[in-house]
Amino acid sequence: MDIEQAPNFRPVTEDFRWEAVAHQPYKQDGSAPFKDISRQVLFHEDALGCELRYFEMDANGYSTLERHEHAHAVMILRGRGDCMVGEEVRAVKQFDLVSIPAWKWHQFRATQNEPLGFLCMVNIQRDRPQLPSVDELAAMKQVPAVRRFLDGA
Ligand code: MN
């Protein structure tokens, strides 16, 4: 992807929006594996080989349940919610840090009737996420905390 060099200074314009940063609501239909989430690419730095994105879910929204070879480094920037990494499910809040290692299933959910936003650092060169098969989903749900998280209970 060819992205023009961003200006050196891009002030914040309103809460969790920045000058010269496109706000990209994810397309969704009934079968989409995510809900009410938007993406903003804050940095696409070829010199560093990484991107820093800001994702935000509306209340009760969630990110895609996925896994992949590339890792994520995450800081919660807004609100509270729940996060699953592998078999671990934790409540998360503003400024908490979350590491998502290679091949761990992961998902964020805005469970507290408020938006949940997080910064996510990622390699520019990265593999495509995988979605769970029916069997993989059933296997994940063998862990009670994971089942409660995925079922939104
Ligand atoms: Mn991911």
Side-chain angles (χ1 to χ4, degrees):
M1 187 166 39
D2 191 33
I3 294 182
E4 271 187 49
Q5 179 64 43
N8 289 340
F9 294 91
R10 291 169 294 151
V12 66
T13 54
E14 57 186 290
D15 285 356
F16 305 100
R17 300 289 177 91
W18 295 267
E19 195 171 290
V21 175
H23 181 257
Q24 306 169 281
Y26 271 43
K27 291 191 189 71
Q28 62 189 88
D29 56 31
S31 65
F34 47 80
K35 183 173 184 285
D36 298 335
I37 183 168
S38 63
R39 176 174 68 162
Q40 297 176 82
V41 179
L42 306 181
F43 295 94
H44 176 99
E45 296 289 339
D46 290 316
L48 297 172
C50 76
E51 289 185 345
L52 187 67
R53 300 91 51 86
Y54 176 67
F55 292 90
E56 189 177 286
M57 284 145 273
D58 298 340
N60 305 310
Y62 48 84
S63 65
T64 303
L65 173 62
E66 61 179 29
R67 68 176 179 181
H68 35 67
E69 194 276 333
H70 63 273
H72 293 309
V74 168
M75 176 187 274
I76 307 300
L77 196 63
R78 178 180 196 172
R80 294 173 300 161
D82 291 339
C83 175
M84 185 192 93
V85 180
E87 297 187 348
E88 261 189 293
V89 175
R90 296 279 291 268
V92 292
K93 63 185 184 306
Q94 189 181 37
F95 304 137
D96 285 354
L97 305 177
V98 183
S99 292
I100 300 173
W103 296 118
K104 293 285 191 190
W105 294 110
H106 55 281
Q107 187 175 54
F108 291 85
R109 287 179 174 260
T111 53
Q112 301 299 315
N113 293 312
E114 62 180 308
L116 172 65
F118 61 89
L119 297 168
C120 178
M121 187 162 61
V122 71
N123 291 348
I124 290 174
Q125 301 293 338
R126 57 186 185 270
D127 58 320
R128 292 187 68 81
Q130 298 178 357
L131 305 182
S133 67
V134 170
D135 287 349
E136 286 167 335
L137 195 56
M140 269 185 254
K141 288 186 177 183
Q142 294 299 307
V143 179
V146 170
R147 179 176 47 73
R148 285 192 296 274
F149 171 86
L150 293 175
D151 291 345

